[in-house]
Amino acid sequence: MPRPSLSAGAFCRLSRRMWRWRDMLLFDPRGSVNAAVNLITPAIRPDADLGMIVMESDYFVPMSGSNLICTVTVALETGMVAMREPETVVRVDTPAGLVEVVATCSDGKCRAITFRNIPSFVMHRDSLIEVPEIGSLRVDVAYGGMIYCIVNAEDLGLTLARDAARHLVEIGERAKRSAADAVKPNGRSSCCAMPPLWPGP
């Protein structure tokens, strides 16, 4: 299993020092709540090609697949990392650990990107939390680059249909806050947010 490039404590300290930069880049008038900033940094690990730190509007993410794809595309297409056609292997040093990326390239452009993420695992299964205005709710907590609070929509009589989106967001925000207070990874609080994830058809 790859070791994290930053310990949890070091990542929390880094996040606290960079709040002002995050706010300046992501809040009005420059950004929005849906935006993210990906910092390309020198790698800490000697076997990595570059480092990546993801700043989102609410928190700093140890690892994000969509942000990784954007970051590697920029690094290759701007020449920060040498592009080799038809495939370029890029090793990215993230706070969660080393992630290996394979970029399919042609004519100086990234055409497709695949990657092998860090190992994921379940932290808590079938934990009951108390959510305001809802009551007891069964959740799972799992890690896959960041910590997710997994809620089964069917437990609430909901579906993942488009017209349920606003309701799912409202409940998810409440569940996230309750889970962060009640379900502590490794028995202690986490400096990282716990976004909700809704599995379903």
Side-chain angles (χ1 to χ4, degrees), residues 87-157:
E87 285 188 347
T88 307
V89 176
V90 183
R91 294 175 177 84
V92 183
D93 194 5
T94 76
L98 185 71
V99 180
E100 185 171 288
V101 180
V102 177
T104 302
C105 307
S106 64
D107 301 323
K109 297 289 186 181
C110 287
R111 305 299 179 181
I113 285 180
T114 61
F115 63 91
R116 181 177 293 277
N117 203 356
I118 60 165
S120 61
F121 54 89
V122 175
M123 292 176 155
H124 298 279
R125 187 70 184 266
D126 292 332
S127 294
L128 288 177
I129 61 172
E130 293 298 320
V131 181
E133 300 178 31
I134 294 174
S136 295
L137 184 63
R138 178 173 59 91
V139 301
D140 298 329
V141 177
Y143 179 78
M146 58 192 301
I147 301 169
Y148 290 93
C149 173
I150 303 171
V151 185
N152 190 337
E154 291 181 349
D155 288 352
L156 295 165

Side-chain angles (χ1 to χ4, degrees), residues 24 26 44 52 62 71 75 85 93 100 106 111 121 140 149 165-166 177 180 183 193 201:
M24 180 185 74
L26 289 177
I44 295 175
M52 178 185 78
T71 299
E85 299 181 7
D93 194 5
E100 185 171 288
S106 64
R111 305 299 179 181
F121 54 89
D140 298 329
C149 173
R166 181 179 295 276
R177 289 190 291 269
V183 183

